[in-house]
Amino acid sequence: MAAETGTRTLGEPKPGNEVVCSKETWPDAAVLDRLFTGAPAQDLLAYALKELAPGKVAVVSSFGADSAVLLHLVSRIAPDTPVIFLETGKHFAETLEYRDQLIAQFGLTNVRSVTPDADRLSALDPDGGLNGRDPDLCCAIRKEEPLEKALAGFDVWINGRRRNQTSTRGAMGLVERDGPHMKINPLAEWDNSEIEAYRTIHELPRHPLTGKGYLSIGCAPCTSPVSENEDARAGRWRGTGKTECGIHISRNGETVRVLSAGQTMTESSEIQASPRADIRANAQDDLWTRDGFTADDWQRLGDEDALPETGPVLVSAARWRDDLRGLNSLQDRDVGVELMPDDPLEEIVPDLDRLAMVALNFPAFTDGRAYSSARLLRERHGYDGEVRATGDVLLDQIPFMLRCGFSVFAISDGPTRRALADGQMPEVPIYLQPVGRQDEGPLGARPWMRTRI
Ligand code: SF4
């Protein structure tokens, strides 16, 4: 579940500030897998949709028993995400109704029902009974081949498999390289209780057949209800020995699809999300200091907001200059001013003894002007109040930010939050940019000059 943060939502990109990868510079799947392990599914989804391959990501959904969770998550990030539904011509009527219900309820605007090639059907399944004679071939022409065509033009596809569904899925990663595609399994870590909790929290509609014992739902001829002691997928292709849709082989413990042209591609299904994600997301407003995460007691005021009666307030430089600076009633009140990079620091210097906090904004991690402002505050003006970093603050920056005088960090970046929560901090043994500390020589001295000082 995404959480409101005041200015943006966890899992949503910072407007105008997306970091977009090109396929040529994609991170290694194993690196991404490690980075997002234990992370909210929303973070991984948002990363895939907005940064890894924006406009080149498709979700594959069967609109089956667990599909609502993933589709709900995706809809809250980008409801126009292409969603591929393999319309095999063999689905339960209830599945098609459920598909239409979820589309309407979640506001999905780009669901594509993909059908088999008519010539292939008439040649290989003229009477529609191929599923009984050769279910692998039936899956190949009704699912595999249409999916292959549908994924052309996409770089990333997202599916909803979970590790706890079958033993063959037990070792799959959150992110896998799949031939020319990156494959994202955002719900791989979720168990049944997390799926159920998410469904309950968000009051998601259930597939109408789940109440009749169908816990994994595919095509009607190949799906049967399960008993209490059976696995959810025991009702799929019952009695045939087939356990996965399409033609599958095992490659390094991973289920893969074998395509008609001899290519391989991992199999598809639905998606899910986690209460664990909600817990992490709900801590989004926390601040980070050297002592760990802490609550933010400051109230950020817009330029038109009424001044509250009590409590510390954070305002823009313009609001301070034009409205609050002259108010005697604020003499005993904690007030902070947030400076954007273009706001002149010198304008608030005469007021520093009245300001309990100066927030310096990083509109992008590539914009380093706030470093200089922090150093000037500490080194030139001797400011000893709170210097807060706001905006696009990433883990790699923090060691140098600390050296420059920042004391509090408002962090919305998911991976940075998780790393800090886990006690991780980049080790930087050598700094090539000195600050004005006594052991480093005068402010501005370059490393190669220090030995001469
Ligand atoms: S699940 Fe059954 S009916 Fe559907 S494509 Fe596969 S074999 Fe054919």
Side-chain angles (χ1 to χ4, degrees), residues 53-73:
K56 295 278 191 176
V57 183
V59 173
V60 178
S61 177
S62 66
F63 289 86
D66 289 336
S67 298
V69 177
L70 174 64
L71 294 170
H72 184 257
L73 284 165

Side-chain angles (χ1 to χ4, degrees), residues 54-342:
K56 295 278 191 176
V57 183
V59 173
V60 178
S61 177
S62 66
F63 289 86
D66 289 336
S67 298
V69 177
L70 174 64
L71 294 170
H72 184 257
L73 284 165
V74 170
S75 73
R76 300 184 83 187
I77 298 170
D80 59 346
T81 301
V83 177
I84 296 170
F85 171 66
L86 298 172
E87 170 46 300
T88 61
K90 297 286 187 181
H91 284 292
F92 291 100
E94 289 90 340
T95 296
L96 303 182
E97 291 167 13
Y98 187 56
R99 174 196 60 186
D100 296 342
Q101 180 186 7
L102 295 187
I103 290 171
Q105 185 164 333
F106 297 165
L108 298 167
T109 60
N110 197 359
V111 176
R112 306 172 182 189
S113 292
V114 177
T115 55
D117 181 89
D119 291 340
R120 296 280 282 166
L121 278 185
S122 59
L124 296 169
D125 192 11
D127 63 351
L130 185 60
N131 60 282
R133 297 187 295 274
D134 188 344
D136 283 347
L137 182 57
C138 183
C139 278
I141 63 173
R142 292 182 185 274
K143 291 183 176 179
E144 310 300 320
E145 294 170 7
L147 179 59
E148 171 70 356
K149 285 182 188 166
L151 285 177
F154 292 105
D155 290 338
V156 175
W157 64 292
I158 298 171
N159 72 91
R161 294 178 307 160
R162 286 184 283 133
R163 290 176 187 149
N164 76 335
Q165 288 173 320
T166 64
S167 59
T168 56
R169 297 179 177 182
M172 70 180 178
L174 289 163
V175 181
E176 299 167 319
R177 196 64 193 249
D178 178 30
H181 295 97
M182 195 81 88
K183 186 176 63 175
I184 309 286
N185 313 307
L187 301 180
E189 297 180 307
W190 287 40
D191 60 25
N192 294 344
S193 65
E194 291 172 315
I195 292 290
E196 193 55 36
Y198 189 93
R199 259 201 293 248
T200 302
I201 290 168
H202 297 285
E203 300 179 336
L204 303 185
R206 294 174 189 277
H207 192 296
L209 291 179
T210 56
K212 297 179 180 177
Y214 293 83
L215 301 188
S216 175
I217 301 166
C219 294
C222 304
T223 305
S224 57
V226 295
S227 63
E228 256 183 37
N229 299 325
E230 286 183 310
D231 290 340
R233 288 181 63 84
R236 305 291 295 277
W237 302 283
R238 188 182 288 280
T240 68
K242 180 178 168 68
T243 58
E244 296 282 0
C245 67
I247 303 168
H248 298 278
I249 59 173
S250 178
R251 182 182 60 187
N252 298 327
E254 179 187 13
T255 301
V256 297
R257 298 190 302 121
V258 179
L259 303 177
S260 54
Q263 301 164 293
T264 59
M265 179 182 295
T266 43
E267 62 112 23
S268 68
S269 71
E270 312 89 70
I271 293 193
Q272 14 350 110
S274 142
R276 179 170 55 233
D278 296 343
I279 293 166
R280 289 172 183 263
N282 288 340
Q284 182 69 8
D285 284 339
D286 287 354
L287 303 171
W288 185 83
T289 72
R290 287 181 186 273
D291 296 327
F293 282 96
T294 183
D296 186 1
D297 296 328
W298 288 75
Q299 183 171 346
R300 182 190 292 263
L301 292 188
D303 287 351
E304 305 300 325
D305 292 342
L307 186 65
E309 302 249 323
T310 59
V313 290
L314 176 61
V315 299
S316 69
R319 179 85 187 262
W320 172 253
R321 181 187 63 230
D322 300 337
D323 187 15
L324 303 184
R325 177 187 260 154
L327 287 183
N328 288 332
S329 58
L330 285 178
Q331 290 292 343
D332 298 323
R333 184 91 170 266
D334 281 345
V335 177
V337 171
E338 183 176 35
L339 298 181
M340 304 306 286
D342 290 329

